[in-house]
Amino acid sequence: MTELLLKYFRTKQKEVQSEKTYDTQCPFCSMQCKMQLIEQTVVTRKKYIAVGKENPTTKGRLCMKGMNAHQHALHQERITHPLLKKNGEFVRVSWEEALQFIKEQVVSIQQEDGHDAVGVYGSASITNEEAYLLGKFARVALKTRHIDYNGRLCMSAAATAANQTFGMDRGFTNALSEVPHARVIMLAGSNIAECQPTIMPYFEEAKENGAYIIVIDPRETATARIADLHLKVKPGTDAALANDMLKIIIEEGLIDESFIKQRTSGFEEIERYVTTLSLEEISGRTGVPIEQIRKAAVKFAREETGMLFTARGVEQQTDGTAAVRNLLNILISVGKIGKFACGYGAITGQGNGQGAREHGQKADQLPGYRSIENEEDRAYIADVWGISAEELPRKGVSAYEMIKKVHEGEITGLFLMCSNPVVSNPNANFVKAALKKLKFFAVIDLFISETARLADVILPASSYLEDEGTMTNVEGRVMLREASKPCPGEVRHDWKIICDIAGALGKGRFFSYESAEEIFNELRKASRGGIADYSGITYERLKKEGGILWPCPEQGHPGTARLFEAEFAHPDKKADMCVVPNEPAVKKDRPTEEYPLYLTTGRVMPHYLTGVQTRKSAALAARHFESFMEIHPKTAATYKIEDRVLVKIESKRGSIVVRSKWTEAIRPDTVFVPMHWGDSQNVNRLVAEDLDPTCQMPGFKVCSVRISPFYDKNVNKLS
Ligand SMILES: Nc1nc2c(c(=O)[nH]1)N[C@H]1C(S)=C(S)[C@@H](COP(=O)(O)OP(=O)(O)OC[C@H]3O[C@@H](n4cnc5c(=O)[nH]c(N)nc54)[C@H](O)[C@@H]3O)O[C@H]1N2
Ligand SMILES: Nc1nc2c(c(=O)[nH]1)N[C@H]1C(S)=C(S)[C@@H](COP(=O)(O)OP(=O)(O)OC[C@H]3O[C@@H](n4cnc5c(=O)[nH]c(N)nc54)[C@H](O)[C@@H]3O)O[C@H]1N2
Ligand code: SF4
Ligand SMILES: [Mo]
C-alpha cells in the first residue's frame, strides 16, 4: 500500500514538474487584468489555472471571466484552419487557396463597383498594432473610404462628448488611484460591479474613506447596492435629469464662479435655459422625485472633491452625446476637474476600447487621433506610410451606416475582423438580410459566430493567449500583453492575416512586418504630435514600467496621469459648455398603447458581449445558460406572466422568446434583457436603428415593446 502511495506521489510530483506558464492579459473588458495561465499535465490530461499578476491598474485581481477565459480559447470548436464555403458548406482549405480566393474577389468587385465597394469592419478587442494596421490596410491596400468598427456601438458618444467639451478624449481624465480620495462619486448608467469587477476596490475604498456615492440607473444593480443614493431614472431621460441638477446648483448658488469665468465658455446660455425649466415637469419626465434630485445636486456641488463616471446606460442613446455633455456641464459648473480627486471617467468597455479608437479604425480618423479631412494630418500620415496624400481616401460612414450601404448594394464586399454584428447591431433582422446580399464576405474570427455563418471565407485568428501586442486600458494606460503560447493548427495573428491579405493584393511592400513590436514602432511615429501621442512609449519601457498613461511624447516622459490641470485642449484652452434641451433632437422609441413598456438592454457578469466566447466556457455558461427578461412582479401580474416562464417580447421590428425573471429591482414600466445570446434570443431583433446624429451611436438602451406569455410555439411564430 505504502509502495503504491509513494509511486502515486512520485508520479504527481513529476506531473507538476511538467508545468508551463503563459503570461497574458484577460481578453475581455477594459480593465485588462494581467494574468498568468498555468498549464499542468496530469497523466494525459491538461489542467489549467489562471492567476492574476501585479500591475498598476488591477494589482493582481481577476474576476470570474478572466479566471475562465482559457476555456473558450482552448475549446474544441475553435477554428484552426481557413474555411471556404463551397456549395453552401464550409470546407477546409489551405491559406494559399483562401488568399487566392480573396484576391480574385476583391479585384473583381473593385473593378466592377469601384474601390469604395469593399468595406472593412474592425474591432476594439484587437491590439493597438492591429487596429492601426487595419486602418492602414483599408486606406493603402484597398484604397477604400469604408472602414469603421464595433467601438462605434460602444464608446462613440462618450468620445464625441469629451472631444466637444474638453477638446480631447482620453476616457479617464485622472488615474484610478485618485478615486479612493473623492468625497462624492456619481455613476451614471454604469454597472461596474458586473462589467468591470476589478475596478470595484477603488470605489469600495472611497466608500470606506467616507465618500457619498450616487448611482443613476433604472435598475437596482449590484453597483446601485453600494450607493448612498440611487436615482431610479426612467430610461433615456438622463439629459433632462442633468438639467434639473444644473438648475438646482445654479439657483442655490453652488457654482464655482471663478472656475467658470477663467476656464469655461457657454455657461450663461445654460443658466438662461435652465431657469425656464420646471423642476416638477422634469421630475415627472424622469420619474425621479425632486427631493432625490436636489440631494444629489447639492451633495455633488458642496463636497470638496468629486468625480463623475458615465457608461453605456447614458451613452447608448440617440441623444447619448448630449446627455454626457450635460452631465459634464454639472462637473464643470462646480469646478470639479483638473484637480486631485476631481475629474471625469467614461468607463471604457472593450479590452482595447480606448486604444482602438485612437489610431485610424474610425471612418473619419487617422492614427494618433488625427483627422482624415485635415490636410496637415493627411500629409503627415501619407509620409509615414510612403504614399502621397492624394492617394488617401476621404472619410467614410459609421458602422451601422456601412451595413445600410451593404443593404443598398453600394458596399458589395466586406472584411470583418473580431466582431459579430448580426448579434450586436440594432435591428438585427435587417443586418442579417443586408449581409446575405454581399457578393464577397470574409470573416476573421476564433469561432464560426452567428455572423461568420454568412461568410464566404473564414480565416482563423489567434487568441489572447497567443497574440502579443499593446492594449490601452480603462485609465488610458498603454499595457504590453506579452502573449507567447504557440498558435494552434494553422491559426495566424490578426496582424499577420492583414499583412498576408495585403501581400496577396500586391501591396506587400507596405505591410512587411516581422513582429508586433515593429508595427508598434511605426504607430509611435504615426502618433507623434497627434493628440493620442504614443511616441515616447516602447516595448522595453512597458516591460519595465508595467504600463504608461498617454500622452507620452518623449522617451524620457513619465506619461500623463491627470489631464486639464491648467488648460483644456480646445484652441482657446477653455471647456466648452453647451445647452442640452430636455427633448432630444431624434425622437426616442418610447412606449405607446401598442407597445406599452420600455425595454432596456445590457450585461450580466459571467457573459461577454455577443457571448460567442463566454457561451463556450463551461464555468461561465453554467451561471446563465439562456437569456432572460427582468420584470417587476406588479407588471408581470398585469401581463399574466409567471416567474421563470417563457415570454414573447415584440417590438415594431421583430420578436424574441426568453425566460421571465421577477425582480423588484427594476422600474415597473421597464423590462431588461441582456445582449449575450443570438438567434431567437437576440435582443437586437427588437432594438430600433435610429442613431445619435452627432456620433452615430444606436439607441440600445431604449425601445418600446409588448410582452405576452409564450405557450404555443406554433401559434407564436417568431419574426
Ligand atoms: N460582464 C460583462 N462585462 C463587460 C461586458 C460584458 O458584455 N459583460 N462588456 C464590456 C463592454 S464592451 C462594455 S461597453 C461595458 C458596458 O458597461 P456598462 O455600461 O456598465 O453596462 P450595461 O449593462 O450595458 O449598462 C449599464 C447600466 O445602464 C443602465 N441603463 C439602462 N438604460 C439606462 C438609462 O436610460 N439611463 C441610465 N442612467 N442608465 C441606464 C442599465 O440598467 C445598466 O445597469 O462593459 C464591459 N464589461
Ligand atoms: N442591445 C444591445 N446591443 C449592443 C450593446 C448593448 O448594450 N445592447 N452593446 C454594444 C457594445 S458596447 C459593443 S462593444 C458591441 C460589441 O459587439 P461585437 O463586437 O459584435 O461583440 P463580440 O461578442 O465581442 O464579438 C467579437 C467576435 O470576435 C471574435 N474574437 C474574439 N477575439 C478575437 C481576436 O483576437 N481576433 C479575432 N479576429 N476575432 C476575435 C469572437 O469570437 C466574436 O465572434 O455590441 C453592442 N451591441
Ligand atoms: S473581465 Fe475585465 S475585470 Fe474580469 S478579469 Fe477580465 S479584464 Fe479583469
Ligand atoms: Mo462596448
Side-chain angles (χ1 to χ4, degrees):
M1 190 65 199
T2 342
E3 275 290 290
L4 263 177
L5 260 179
L6 263 177
K7 203 172 161 200
Y8 174 77
F9 283 123
R10 255 190 229 118
T11 335
K12 267 263 163 244
Q13 212 174 10
K14 230 172 144 187
E15 284 156 10
V16 173
Q17 277 165 1
S18 71
E19 191 174 274
K20 282 187 191 153
T21 57
Y22 302 105
D23 284 347
T24 185
Q25 286 167 206
C26 172
F28 300 126
C29 86
S30 56
M31 295 307 290
Q32 280 306 292
C33 300
K34 275 201 180 284
M35 61 159 82
Q36 194 168 58
L37 185 69
I38 304 169
E39 180 185 86
Q40 294 177 342
T41 311
V42 181
V43 194
T44 54
R45 271 190 63 231
K46 287 199 167 117
K47 258 181 66 185
Y48 293 90
I49 308 159
V51 291
K53 266 189 73 183
E54 183 57 36
N55 68 90
T57 304
T58 63
K59 307 189 189 291
R61 296 187 279 267
L62 277 187
C63 83
M64 64 163 84
K65 284 193 299 303
M67 281 185 248
N68 294 294
H70 56 278
Q71 292 180 348
H72 84 267
L74 302 169
H75 197 276
Q76 57 179 10
E77 282 173 36
R78 180 100 185 259
I79 43 172
T80 53
H81 43 72
L83 294 166
L84 192 61
K85 204 177 259 166
K86 294 185 180 171
N87 302 320
E89 297 274 324
F90 285 116
V91 294
R92 177 177 182 165
V93 293
S94 66
W95 276 96
E96 291 67 34
E97 187 176 343
L99 291 168
Q100 180 63 23
F101 171 78
I102 290 170
K103 178 196 163 173
E104 283 162 15
Q105 295 292 313
V106 170
V107 168
S108 120
I109 285 177
Q110 291 197 319
Q111 265 169 9
E112 259 172 56
D113 305 335
H115 278 117
D116 293 337
V118 178
V120 179
Y121 191 114
S123 174
S125 291
I126 52 180
T127 63
N128 285 316
E129 291 78 354
E130 289 157 352
Y132 164 79
L133 210 58
L134 201 63
K136 179 174 175 183
F137 171 75
R139 277 71 177 235
V140 176
L142 294 174
K143 294 181 183 290
T144 177
R145 65 167 63 212
H146 290 312
I147 173 164
D148 210 56
Y149 77 125
N150 64 10
R152 180 71 66 172
L153 319 174
C154 181
M155 298 311 299
S156 62
T160 306
N163 278 324
Q164 291 182 345
T165 296
F166 303 137
M168 73 179 266
D169 152 48
R170 187 188 80 185
F172 274 40
T173 61
N174 303 50
L176 263 170
S177 56
E178 293 185 26
V179 172
H181 307 283
R183 299 292 307 156
V184 55
I185 292 170
M186 187 147 66
L187 282 156
S190 152
N191 186 7
I192 43 175
E194 295 203 64
C195 296
Q196 289 82 11
T198 59
I199 211 174
M200 285 305 277
Y202 291 100
F203 289 82
E204 283 155 5
E205 205 184 322
K207 204 163 162 82
E208 278 162 25
N209 291 341
Y212 188 83
I213 300 184
I214 303 160
V215 165
I216 309 174
D217 196 306
R219 304 185 302 136
E220 189 192 318
T221 58
T223 309
R225 269 170 235 135
I226 67 157
D228 297 280
L229 180 62
H230 175 200
L231 310 183
K232 219 166 175 171
V233 71
K234 214 177 261 182
T237 61
D238 297 272
L241 181 73
N243 273 332
D244 244 1
M245 290 176 69
L246 278 165
K247 183 178 171 72
I248 292 163
I249 287 169
I250 292 171
E251 289 180 355
E252 303 220 349
L254 298 171
I255 55 165
D256 183 336
E257 266 179 75
S258 71
F259 187 85
I260 290 174
K261 210 160 150 207
Q262 285 160 29
R263 304 217 27 209
T264 74
S265 62
F267 176 75
E268 291 74 21
E269 286 84 356
I270 295 177
E271 188 171 28
R272 234 173 286 136
Y273 175 68
V274 297
T275 46
T276 67
L277 302 176
S278 129
L279 287 179
E280 288 71 22
E281 195 265 328
I282 294 185
S283 170
R285 186 187 279 260
T286 59
V288 182
I290 297 176
E291 272 330 296
Q292 286 186 11
I293 306 179
R294 182 181 303 281
K295 202 163 180 186
V298 171
K299 195 77 189 166
F300 196 79
R302 282 228 171 104
E303 287 291 343
E304 186 75 11
T305 54
M307 297 179 99
L308 164 72
F309 297 90
T310 67
R312 306 310 86 76
V314 172
E315 301 160 15
Q316 287 174 327
Q317 307 274 358
T318 50
D319 66 340
T321 308
V324 174
R325 289 200 74 186
N326 219 14
L327 287 162
L328 291 178
N329 284 337
I330 298 175
L331 186 78
I332 293 165
S333 69
V334 296
K336 287 193 168 56
I337 181 137
K339 297 180 231 174
F340 178 70
C342 291
Y344 169 60
I347 300 172
T348 292
Q350 297 171 86
N352 197 24
Q354 180 69 50
R357 71 179 191 255
E358 301 163 359
H359 299 295
Q361 251 191 124
K362 278 162 110 170
D364 58 353
Q365 192 195 56
L366 290 173
Y369 234 130
R370 288 185 160 88
S371 162
I372 204 163
E373 294 297 333
N374 176 297
E375 298 310 318
E376 233 173 85
D377 289 351
R378 291 169 67 83
Y380 181 81
I381 296 298
D383 187 48
V384 174
W385 288 349
I387 58 169
S388 75
E390 295 77 60
E391 285 178 83
L392 271 178
R394 292 278 161 179
K395 72 171 178 193
V397 297
S398 73
Y400 186 76
E401 290 169 310
M402 276 210 310
I403 304 280
K404 275 173 101 172
K405 285 195 183 293
V406 171
H407 200 270
E408 288 157 9
E410 201 180 316
I411 294 176
T412 51
L414 188 69
F415 286 95
L416 173 75
M417 177 173 274
C418 191
S419 184
N420 186 14
V422 164
V423 183
S424 58
N425 271 238
N427 202 8
N429 288 335
F430 172 86
V431 175
K432 194 168 173 183
L435 296 177
K436 279 185 176 167
K437 289 185 169 183
L438 284 165
K439 291 182 192 165
F440 161 71
F441 187 20
V443 172
I444 302 146
D445 205 299
L446 312 177
F447 295 101
I448 305 181
S449 68
E450 286 81 356
T451 307
R453 283 184 217 150
L454 307 176
D456 299 303
V457 57
I458 309 179
L459 303 176
S462 60
S463 78
Y464 77 110
L465 293 173
E466 302 124 22
D467 190 17
E468 182 186 53
T470 61
M471 311 281 278
T472 306
N473 77 8
V474 71
E475 294 184 281
R477 196 185 293 278
V478 184
M479 316 269 285
L480 178 61
R481 184 175 78 187
E482 294 180 86
S484 62
K485 198 169 187 298
C487 289
E490 294 176 19
V491 160
R492 293 183 185 174
H493 301 316
D494 284 302
W495 64 262
K496 182 76 175 73
I497 296 174
I498 299 170
C499 295
D500 291 345
I501 301 173
L505 294 171
K507 295 295 162 80
R509 69 183 188 283
F510 300 104
F511 295 85
S512 59
Y513 309 97
E514 294 297 321
S515 66
E517 185 171 7
E518 220 181 290
I519 305 167
F520 188 74
N521 285 334
E522 187 180 298
L523 181 160
R524 289 172 57 209
K525 209 158 119 198
S527 78
R528 181 171 300 144
I531 289 173
D533 192 332
Y534 282 32
S535 55
I537 304 174
T538 61
Y539 270 33
E540 206 188 317
R541 275 190 74 182
L542 290 174
K543 280 180 197 158
K544 221 184 285 159
E545 296 168 43
I548 298 170
L549 290 153
W550 72 259
C552 179
E554 272 147 51
Q555 286 220 31
H557 193 287
T560 312
R562 194 183 306 132
L563 302 174
F564 315 135
E565 289 183 283
E567 54 191 48
F568 291 96
H570 283 303
D572 67 1
K573 311 208 183 312
K574 291 185 168 177
D576 184 14
M577 302 176 81
C578 78
V579 172
V580 175
N582 278 341
E583 195 49 54
V586 175
K587 239 174 150 267
K588 297 197 179 186
D589 184 22
R590 291 220 171 90
T592 57
E593 219 169 283
E594 206 182 339
Y595 298 98
L597 291 168
Y598 284 104
L599 165 73
T600 192
T601 66
R603 293 152 169 83
V604 293
M605 165 99 95
H607 280 290
Y608 189 69
L609 294 175
T610 67
V612 175
Q613 292 160 277
T614 47
R615 280 185 268 130
K616 302 230 169 39
S617 162
L620 298 173
R623 290 173 188 260
H624 279 288
F625 66 91
E626 61 177 355
S627 188
F628 59 88
M629 175 190 79
E630 282 184 2
I631 183 169
H632 196 284
K634 270 203 274 185
T635 319
T638 311
Y639 296 96
K640 302 200 170 38
I641 305 226
E642 287 169 38
D643 192 18
R644 315 241 25 103
V645 297
L646 289 180
V647 41
K648 182 176 182 183
I649 318 176
E650 294 167 276
S651 79
K652 280 172 224 151
R653 294 151 292 271
S655 62
I656 60 169
V657 174
V658 297
R659 201 167 291 282
S660 64
K661 184 176 176 188
W662 285 16
T663 171
E664 290 187 357
I666 192 162
R667 290 177 59 89
D669 56 5
T670 305
V671 294
F672 168 84
V673 178
M675 62 165 294
H676 313 296
W677 286 269
D679 301 320
S680 61
Q681 297 188 331
N682 179 353
V683 73
N684 277 322
R685 287 187 181 183
L686 308 174
V687 173
E689 62 163 19
D690 303 329
L691 306 177
D692 179 329
T694 331
C695 65
Q696 288 75 45
M697 167 71 89
F700 288 122
K701 291 295 191 264
V702 185
C703 79
S704 62
V705 293
R706 64 173 173 233
I707 56 173
S708 54
F710 181 81
Y711 15 69
D712 187 339
K713 66 174 185 299
N714 295 317
V715 175
N716 276 292
K717 275 251 155 55
L718 289 176
S719 59

